[in-house]
């Protein structure tokens, strides 16, 4: 066609970088349904009998230490696993297998829920067991939009990293 | 439309990947059967041709063995490591998978161009180009370190922000598409396709050793990158397949390792450390400059 190709390697590199970043930006602007309508989440099924948020944790590998559940209502706090700006927090003696932790006071939403299995009970966030609502795989860190659930119940499966 | 924006799970992607993988193989076997029949009818069938095809499959077996034992885990480690530095938060939807495939093709273009123009990378990629024939079996003719160089370029997809699994899937998809380019039974496709997509015609040019065809048509799925970056050539004169210096053997061990053997031999025989190192990064065909005239004694007259 009439267009002249780019022959300079430097210009080609800049064009390539621009296409990569532009494509990434475009792909990042596509948000899944949970983003625009947090009222209907795939995980948070409203349970009419139950008030508040019920967190069902499965895959707890041992009864060592504590299961720590932290609930956030803003993206930044979730992203940094903030130990200050959370809306609710519970710690319970770990039970092998499945556990349920109730937050009857959480009736607003949307919330993002994280679970940490502090096996050595040192109260530090080291690489033991973790899970976040909406998480799809061991190395997935869901953004708040995807992690968001409404009051009702939410199920989290533990991932272990050591 | 909804489904395009819905989340795609890792399970869906790997199931799809397995499905595509199977069908690429079934179709390639079908096309190869037609090609063999055509060779027979035209009296071009020979033991040498069959031997070359068998060798192609053996290089694939060796390549896959190396990939499964080394490179797939390296891919995993590099991709998940690089994901920490992601520029964008990209959710996995069909839209982002499609964007990722297009960008994976762009990174493929540069990776492929790199393996043609940098001596130490050409050593593995020249295996793919060393067959004097062109049929479905050549699509499976790979060198030992083809994956190693690809990682350097594919990792940018993850740095941009695509999920490591999505980036891996898309990179693989770009390779699988190219299987079907290795055939002479498709002449030219309708021009809009030939303009945008990489086709058997464009890829025959890429495998040509004719001077006007050298280092042309690097694209994987799309030929627009070559049109954009000035590396495109149209198929006009008949293609002479293979290397500019044919290897002249179907011995699978020699075929698989000849690139690295030649590179090593060339490095050893090249004088001077600087020139030895230059040999590793300069394009194939590069020769160290002759010692400058000043170092010679002046001719006496
Ligand atoms: Zn090539």
């Amino acid at each position: 066609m009439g267009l002249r190709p780019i022959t300079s390697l430097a210009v080609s590199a800049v064009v390539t970088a621009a296409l990569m970043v532009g494509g990434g930006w475009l792909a990042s602007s596509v948000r899944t349904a949970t983003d625009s309508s947090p009222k209907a989440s795939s995980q948070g099924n409203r349970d009419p009998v139950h008030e508040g948020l019920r967190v069902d944790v499965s895959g707890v590998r041992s009864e060592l230490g504590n299961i720590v559940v932290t609930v956030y209502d803003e993206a930044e706090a979730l992203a940094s696993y903030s130990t200050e700006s959370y809306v609710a927090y519970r710690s319970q003696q770990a039970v092998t297998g499945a556990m349920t932790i109730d937050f009857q006071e959480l009736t607003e939403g949307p919330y993002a829920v994280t679970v940490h299995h502090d096996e050595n009970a040192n109260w530090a966030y080291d690489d033991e067991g973790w899970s976040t609502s909406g998480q799809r795989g061991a190395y997935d860190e869901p953004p708040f939009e995807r992690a968001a659930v409404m009051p009702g119940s939410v199920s989290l499966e533990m991932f272990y990293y050591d | 439309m909804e489904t395009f924006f819905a989340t795609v799970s890792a399970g869906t992607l790997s199931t799809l990947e397995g499905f595509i993988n199977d069908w690429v193989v079934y179709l390639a076997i079908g096309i190869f059967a037609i090609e063999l029949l055509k060779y027979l009818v035209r009296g071009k069938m020979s033991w040498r041709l069959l031997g070359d095809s068998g060798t192609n499959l053996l290089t694939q077996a060796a390549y896959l063995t190396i990939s499964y034992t080394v490179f797939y885990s390296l891919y995993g480690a590099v991709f998940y490591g690089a994901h920490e530095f992601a520029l964008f938060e990209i959710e996995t939807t069909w839209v982002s998978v499609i964007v990722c495939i297009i960008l994976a093709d762009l990174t493929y273009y540069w990776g492929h161009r790199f393996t043609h123009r940098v001596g130490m990378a050409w050593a593995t990629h020249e295996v793919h180009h060393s067959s004097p024939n062109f049929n479905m079996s050549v699509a499976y003719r790979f060198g030992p370190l083809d994956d190693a160089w690809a990682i350097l370029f594919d990792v940018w997809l993850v740095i941009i922000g695509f999920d490591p699994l999505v980036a891996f899937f898309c990179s693989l998809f770009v390779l699988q598409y190219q299987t079907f380019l290795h055939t002479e039974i498709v002449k030219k496709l309708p021009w809009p396709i030939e303009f945008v997509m990489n086709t058997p015609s464009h890829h025959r040019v890429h495998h040509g050793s004719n001077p006007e065809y050298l280092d042309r048509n690097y694209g994987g799925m799309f030929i627009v990158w070559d049109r954009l970056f000035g590396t495109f050539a149209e198929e006009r004169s008949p293609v002479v397949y293979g290397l500019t210096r044919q290897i002249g053997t179907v011995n699978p061990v020699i075929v698989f390792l000849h690139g690295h053997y030649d590179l090593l031999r060339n490095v050893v025989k090249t004088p001077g450390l600087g020139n030895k190192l230059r040999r590793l990064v300069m394009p194939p065909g590069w020769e160290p400059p002759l010692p400058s005239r000043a170092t010679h004694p002046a001719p006496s007259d």
Side-chain angles (χ1 to χ4, degrees), chain A residues 106-134:
Chain A
L106 298 182
T107 53
E108 300 288 314
Y111 301 117
V113 184
T114 68
V115 185
H116 173 220
H117 187 177
D118 183 21
E119 259 183 330
N120 54 10
N122 65 349
W123 300 101
Y125 284 172
D126 29 43
D127 283 344
E128 301 161 292
W130 278 94
S131 187
T132 303
S133 49

Side-chain angles (χ1 to χ4, degrees), chain A residues 1 5-6 9 12 15-16 19-21 23-28 30-32 136 139 141 143 146, chain B residues 5 7 80 88-91 93 95-96 99 103 106-107 110 113 160 162 195 225 227-230:
Chain A
M1 295 302 237
I6 304 163
L9 259 185
S12 299
V15 170
T16 301
L19 285 167
M20 295 289 291
V21 172
W25 175 81
L26 187 78
S28 72
V30 176
R31 289 287 170 195
T32 43
R136 294 196 197 105
Y139 293 94
E141 286 184 29
R146 178 142 53 80
Chain B
F5 297 98
T7 309
Y80 280 104
F88 297 101
E89 167 83 44
I90 300 174
E91 306 228 349
T93 63
V95 175
S96 62
V99 173
L103 295 185
L106 179 58
T107 59
W110 285 107
R113 191 165 162 177
I160 288 294
F162 292 97
F195 188 76
W225 313 124
R227 295 185 191 276
L228 181 63
F229 299 125

Side-chain angles (χ1 to χ4, degrees), chain A residues 1 5, chain B residues 109 188 194-195 197-199 201-203 205 212-213 215-218 223-236:
Chain A
M1 295 302 237
Chain B
Y109 170 89
K188 288 221 174 171
E194 293 282 339
F195 188 76
M197 304 302 291
N198 196 4
T199 62
S201 171
H202 297 325
H203 205 58
V205 165
E212 73 272 28
Y213 291 164
D215 297 327
R216 301 285 117 176
N217 301 2
Y218 294 118
I223 200 69
V224 288
W225 313 124
D226 288 282
R227 295 185 191 276
L228 181 63
F229 299 125
T231 49
F232 175 72
E234 186 80 51
E235 182 185 31
R236 294 212 167 86

